[in-house]
Amino acid sequence: MAQPTADAKNAGKPATLSIVDNRTGKQYELPIENDTIKAIDLRQIKVKDDDFGMMTYDPAYMNTAACKSSITFIDGDKGILQYRGYPIEQLAEKCSYLEVAYLLVNGELPTKDQNADWAKQITEHTFVHENLKKFMDGFHHDAHPMGMFVSALAALSTFYPSAKKIADPAERKLTIYRLIGKVPTLAAFAYRHSIGMPYVHPDNELDYASNFLSMMFKIAEPKYKPEPALAKALDVLFILHADHEQNCSTSAMRGVGSSKVDPFSAAAAAAAALYGPLHGGANEEVLRMLDHIGSINNIPGFIKDVKEGRGRLMGFGHRVYKNFDPRATIIKKLADQVFEVTGRNPKLDIALELEKIALQDEYFIKRKLYPNVDFYSGLIYQALKFPVDMFPVLFAIGRMSGWLSQWQEMLLDEDQKIARPRQVYLGREKRDVVMLSQRS
Ligand code: CMC
């Protein structure tokens, strides 16, 4: 959402909204703050005294701010993304993922000492209880890694019952270390289970992304040494995915967390929301789509199908960005650096041509559909040798720091209560039950 400006511009004029209810002729003055009115202020608008009062109807929260937040700023029309005021382009260029995670959680970039302590704490919490392996072993051999990841996250809550003490800042801090530390381990274990390979323990001498690559791909070598350029690329991808204000999974984290459940359970709900093909599952769908298209010659036919409503161009379009997604621009450049090491992914040519055609096509121009973060990320993941069904899991690893920052902000926000939307009831009026024997 754009930063509110109107209050300042209209200095001297009353910051109120006048509403006339034409059903009654009554006029109401509602205060405006930050370019919003409080939905609850509408409840005074009634025809009869015993009416419930006016509400807003906003399916999918298209125009409802459910919180005040100081974490992430997006201007979807201008293609701007900032974490705590820092442009995503600068963070991707100058910081590590763990620095960015610290920024999101704590509000400021860490000093050298703070960063060293933060990285140490997270590294020391990468191990999982041995029993979690048994839990993983219970999954079918072809279980989707995201299904295993979601379940393993929820299972972690049973290993750390004290995480329920969400009002205790020390306990919250510990859980934040644990969750950011353990998600790469859970993700790698899910993958190793799916290919029938032994689990690899975390290597505390490696940085966050390199350790994850080691747990994923180490075989018999005493020490796994990832190509630094590839570990760096993965680290940048984690930064780009770290937060995106009130998206579907973050809203799930806040909504479920608002019941005051432990953060492992809330994070499992957030990860489940991310699994969907319209959210974090889209990067997986992009690769499947590129496979389905198969060759550049088939692109016009595919675009025609999309325009006629037979499927979507996955990795295109966004609820907020009506311009280039800045993350997609960074990822496109990153892809070149990765392909220099790994060799070019042949699907890149299909993706580039698809983007070119779509950006010139009236259907996509009119609807302001541009490539989003998922359009090119899958090609990099594939070049890094991640199987397609691991893509949403990779998204979840990076997003954990964002979910936790938003969860903590929600807990500390005095305006917040348990999330509980209203409905417009359009069902049957009260009626009496007829016994089964008498129903025709
Ligand atoms: N391909 C073809 N048409 C599309 C697409 C697309 N990818 N996205 C939107 N449209 C059309 C849609 O059919 C509709 O047309 P019409 O007005 O004629 O009915 C119009 O554009 C508006 O679409 P919408 O579904 O009302 O827009 P939304 O804001 O509800 O949906 C979206 C946003 C991301 C779910 C959607 O653009 C989409 O399904 N994209 C493909 C999936 C995807 O790439 N998702 C990843 C999002 S970025 C990562 C993340 O945040 O998780």
Side-chain angles (χ1 to χ4, degrees), residues 57-110:
Y57 174 60
D58 190 13
Y61 306 115
M62 297 284 288
N63 196 38
T64 293
C67 63
K68 294 175 183 163
S69 182
S70 313
I71 301 174
T72 290
F73 171 70
I74 301 175
D75 186 327
D77 290 325
K78 298 196 181 118
I80 293 174
L81 169 62
Q82 295 164 358
Y83 297 160
R84 303 275 189 191
Y86 293 109
I88 190 70
E89 294 80 2
Q90 292 185 28
L91 292 169
E93 193 193 323
K94 298 184 176 165
C95 299
S96 70
Y97 169 68
L98 284 189
E99 282 171 70
V100 171
Y102 183 100
L103 169 72
L104 288 169
V105 171
N106 297 299
E108 294 297 336
L109 281 167

Side-chain angles (χ1 to χ4, degrees), residues 199-375:
Y199 305 117
V200 177
H201 285 294
D203 180 341
N204 284 359
E205 287 175 4
L206 295 176
D207 63 66
Y208 193 76
S210 302
N211 171 48
F212 176 53
L213 289 170
S214 164
M215 289 189 289
M216 285 286 297
F217 300 123
K218 184 168 186 279
I219 302 182
E221 62 275 48
K223 188 151 186 98
Y224 183 87
K225 289 198 189 109
E227 179 66 49
L230 302 187
K232 173 69 191 152
L234 186 59
D235 201 66
V236 171
L237 285 165
F238 288 153
I239 294 175
L240 300 184
H241 286 90
D243 197 52
H244 214 233
E245 50 119 310
Q246 308 311 315
N247 56 84
C248 179
S249 57
T250 300
S251 303
M253 182 83 191
R254 280 180 172 261
V256 174
S258 75
S259 74
K260 306 259 192 267
V261 72
D262 71 86
F264 293 101
S265 302
L274 188 72
Y275 192 2
L278 296 188
H279 192 10
N283 49 18
E284 186 178 351
E285 295 301 321
V286 171
L287 261 277
R288 295 195 201 287
M289 174 188 75
L290 295 176
D291 279 337
H292 165 77
I293 296 173
S295 104
I296 288 185
N297 299 339
N298 298 331
I299 292 177
F302 176 78
I303 293 275
K304 184 168 176 281
D305 281 350
V306 168
K307 284 160 57 175
E308 290 172 4
R310 291 186 294 278
R312 287 200 161 191
L313 176 50
M314 299 310 286
F316 259 66
H318 201 277
R319 171 63 58 79
V320 179
Y321 294 116
K322 302 300 168 195
N323 196 327
F324 275 92
D325 177 340
R327 300 169 300 174
T329 312
I330 300 171
I331 288 182
K332 208 171 159 186
K333 281 193 210 133
L334 197 63
D336 291 334
Q337 292 161 23
V338 169
F339 295 154
E340 255 175 47
V341 180
T342 63
R344 197 177 162 86
N345 187 330
K347 291 191 198 95
L348 179 67
D349 295 325
I350 304 179
L352 287 170
E353 185 65 14
L354 205 51
E355 178 186 353
K356 195 171 119 202
I357 294 182
L359 291 179
Q360 292 165 0
D361 190 296
E362 187 52 28
Y363 175 95
F364 297 92
I365 295 170
K366 204 172 117 202
R367 290 170 179 77
K368 298 188 175 168
L369 300 172
Y370 291 89
N372 61 47
V373 66
D374 290 321
F375 193 66

